């Protein structure tokens, strides 16, 4: 058994639409363990670190603007292969075509909103998970 940790965010659109509880419910229903949960407004400098891999992409500034536009629910969850498992629960990046049964596929988005409003973030590797956890929850660094 490879127990991993991942950093999950319910983005401002998800919190504003009242979907934070539904996302937590799906995480817990799958059997993952909640290690930390915190509702907070993220400052731009934290978000720029979080999304550093996208710093040169054209959607970087709008993404940081959006992510700082309202509170996010930051979550650390643990479990066997939780990094890949949560990405699977979340569905593909664009909710328009994300598979039914997934968070993005089931809960969609506001249709005239950009793709960045896709309800959740989930780390994509062990390295990113530990890097992102150190940004959001420094007290959880091992
Ligand atoms: P994911 O969140 O599925 O890991 P990502 O890491 O490639 O996707 O991108 C981070 C976020 O940036 C994503 O959740 C939504 C936004 N984004 C990605 N590609 C985009 C694009 N082509 N145009 C606008 N926003 C985009
Ligand atoms: Mg990503």
């Amino acid at each position: 058994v490879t127990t991993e940790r991942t950093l999950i965010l319910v983005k401002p659109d998800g919190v504003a639409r009242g979907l934070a509880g539904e996302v937590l419910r799906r995480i817990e229903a799958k059997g993952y363990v909640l290690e930390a949960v915190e509702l907070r407004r993220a400052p731009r400098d934290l978000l720029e670190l979080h999304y550093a891999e996208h710093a040169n992409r054209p959607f970087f500034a709008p993404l940081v603007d959006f992510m700082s536009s309202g509170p996010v629910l930051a979550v650390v969850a643990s479990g066997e292969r939780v990094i890949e498992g949560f990405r699977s629960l979340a569905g593909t990046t664009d909710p328009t075509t994300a598979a039914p049964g997934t968070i993005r596929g089931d809960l969609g988005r506001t249709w005239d909103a950009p793709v960045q409003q896709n309800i959740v973030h989930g780390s994509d590797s062990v390295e990113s998970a530990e890097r992102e956890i150190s940004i959001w929850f420094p007290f959880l660094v091992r």
Side-chain angles (χ1 to χ4, degrees):
V1 176
T2 312
T3 299
E4 299 174 343
R5 307 191 293 181
T6 195
L7 188 280
I8 296 164
L9 301 173
V10 183
K11 298 184 177 188
D13 60 319
V15 172
R17 292 174 59 205
L19 298 174
E22 171 66 14
V23 173
L24 288 176
R25 189 195 66 74
R26 290 179 183 225
I27 294 166
E28 290 190 299
K30 178 84 177 180
Y32 300 135
V33 174
L34 300 175
E35 304 286 350
V37 178
E38 186 179 321
L39 186 77
R40 76 156 93 131
R41 285 193 79 115
R44 296 186 60 95
D45 59 345
L46 184 152
L47 293 162
E48 286 168 1
L49 281 175
H50 173 82
Y51 280 122
E53 67 170 313
H54 297 306
N56 296 321
R57 307 290 290 278
F59 59 82
F60 181 68
L63 179 60
V64 170
D65 286 345
F66 162 62
M67 290 295 292
S68 59
S69 69
V72 301
L73 192 77
V75 177
V76 175
S78 66
E80 183 177 354
R81 298 185 68 188
V82 65
I83 297 169
E84 183 182 355
F86 180 76
R87 301 265 304 174
S88 177
L89 283 186
T92 50
T93 302
D94 187 347
T96 312
T97 49
T102 66
I103 292 167
R104 289 162 170 168
D106 287 351
L107 306 174
R109 63 179 165 111
T110 305
W111 296 110
D112 56 359
V115 66
Q116 66 212 13
Q117 300 195 23
N118 57 2
I119 309 170
V120 288
H121 164 84
S123 310
D124 63 9
S125 68
V126 173
E127 294 70 29
S128 342
E130 293 302 315
R131 190 184 71 83
E132 293 168 7
I133 289 168
S134 76
I135 293 169
W136 290 86
F137 295 102
F139 60 90
L140 288 181
V141 172
R142 288 171 170 153

